[in-house]
Amino acid sequence: MTGDVVQRLTSLRQHRGDGRRAPHKPLLVLLALGQLSATGSSSLPWTEVETRLGALLAEFGTPTSAGAPWAAYPFTRLRADGVWELSRDVANDTVGPLRAEPIEGHFPADIEATLVANPSAISAVARTLVESQFPSTLMTDVLLSVGLDPETVFGMPPASRLIPARKRDVAWRHAVLAAWDRSCAFCGFDGSVGGAPVGIEAAHVRWFTIGGPDELDNGVALCSLHHKLFDRGALGLDHEFSVVVSTNYAAVSDMGRTVYELHGRALRPRPGTKLPAAAHVQWHTREVFKGESLSA
Ligand SMILES: [Zn+2]
């Protein structure tokens, strides 16, 4: 019974052709799980979804998925997955009828009762959804934004028996770090503690969760900060493999403003290291990078 509910909430139909991200439905389910955890009911009025899901899509969605029209899509279409009900019937995708009169959405009674009786199922669903949609740099931020406790969620085993996860290649991480001399490809940071590199991570250009391969031409070594800004779409790469800083990024302090100085800086791999493949850079620009590029 519990497994059935977990399966239904994690097998959402998504338009993911051509490597496109489609985080709309998973983010609405996560928002409803957070609501259920906090209040004991998954019920969410449209007025709240419009604001909160709109903000989630702006922050964690694709470059084009901000705003109310995109929140209306999962709010209406999640019904077809059999895991969402609305308090009155409305057409799909249209904001007007949602704003005309009060309307709320919620999980069907059987799903809600199962989740209330088995809080661990809430964590299993949440973990499976964030792991299937987002890179590890963003998972905690997404969970906190919907009101779920990351330590509780990640304390649960994922429902991976239901949706077999692709296996991550540990050797790929080591190979990427070695190829970039264990230093950040953007800023050059190469700090170590006791001789071991610290805060240097292998970053996928095209996200692993969206089909990005564990290949050397899909990875760069980045410091923890620039990895996170890259995955959040505040940093990107242009077609000449120079760093692009988004106008969405803002800072006042000298330390914060050092990010601006990355704009236009060329990647300088050591001889023999592959630059990211153009197709992966284009994917990142289309699916992740947000806002406008700072003028050079
Ligand atoms: Zn860096």
Side-chain angles (χ1 to χ4, degrees):
M1 182 63 183
T2 306
D4 176 55
V5 164
V6 172
Q7 172 128 36
R8 285 165 66 190
L9 287 170
T10 54
S11 331
L12 309 174
R13 287 185 292 166
Q14 296 177 268
H15 295 289
R16 287 251 300 237
D18 196 27
R20 301 254 168 189
R21 296 176 55 208
H24 313 78
K25 286 180 180 176
L27 282 171
L28 177 57
V29 171
L30 286 163
L31 194 61
L33 291 173
Q35 185 78 357
L36 184 63
S37 289
T39 69
S41 163
S42 62
S43 176
L44 283 164
W46 163 250
T47 48
E48 190 170 337
V49 170
E50 182 171 7
T51 306
R52 294 184 63 197
L53 185 59
L56 285 168
L57 286 166
E59 195 168 0
F60 303 111
T62 62
T64 55
S65 68
W70 289 103
Y73 161 71
F75 190 74
T76 54
R77 289 199 177 251
L78 194 57
R79 290 178 294 182
D81 292 274
V83 298
W84 192 243
E85 293 173 354
L86 297 179
S87 56
R88 59 183 171 84
D89 194 28
V90 289
N92 280 342
D93 304 339
T94 315
V95 174
L98 297 173
R99 288 177 174 163
E101 291 175 52
I103 180 171
E104 54 87 29
H106 52 262
F107 294 139
D110 64 321
I111 289 183
E112 190 157 302
T114 302
L115 294 174
V116 168
N118 304 280
S120 63
I122 295 178
S123 291
V125 172
R127 178 168 179 175
T128 301
L129 289 176
V130 291
E131 287 187 341
S132 67
Q133 302 293 321
F134 301 102
S136 56
T137 53
L138 302 190
M139 291 175 191
T140 298
D141 294 349
V142 171
L143 291 171
L144 288 170
S145 293
V146 299
L148 291 170
D149 173 35
E151 291 192 20
T152 303
V153 169
F154 286 111
M156 289 305 301
S160 55
R161 280 162 279 116
L162 301 170
I163 301 177
R166 280 174 62 211
K167 196 162 164 46
R168 291 171 180 266
D169 184 354
V170 177
W172 174 83
R173 296 184 180 279
H174 290 294
V176 169
L177 295 187
W180 290 86
D181 286 327
R182 294 173 180 76
S183 60
C184 177
F186 290 178
C187 71
F189 176 83
D190 63 352
S192 62
V193 173
V198 65
I200 308 289
E201 302 164 359
H204 287 93
V205 178
R206 175 172 169 157
W207 293 356
F208 182 85
T209 49
I210 315 291
D214 278 343
E215 303 286 346
L216 285 176
D217 68 359
N218 189 38
V220 285
L222 294 177
C223 68
S224 302
L225 175 63
H226 295 144
H227 187 183
K228 190 148 187 161
L229 290 172
F230 188 57
D231 285 348
R232 283 285 282 262
L235 293 176
L237 289 168
D238 67 14
H239 62 280
E240 293 177 322
F241 304 103
S242 293
V243 180
V244 179
V245 179
S246 165
T247 51
N248 283 5
Y249 178 82
V252 175
S253 69
D254 288 346
M255 271 305 291
R257 290 173 62 90
T258 59
V259 169
Y260 296 137
E261 294 163 15
L262 299 175
H263 189 71
R265 182 179 291 198
L267 295 185
R268 280 192 295 266
R270 71 180 184 186
T273 286
K274 284 183 181 173
L275 284 165
H280 299 323
V281 171
Q282 287 160 9
W283 181 89
H284 185 275
T285 302
R286 191 186 71 211
E287 300 291 328
V288 180
F289 186 78
K290 294 200 183 73
E292 303 294 318
S293 160
L294 293 181
S295 54

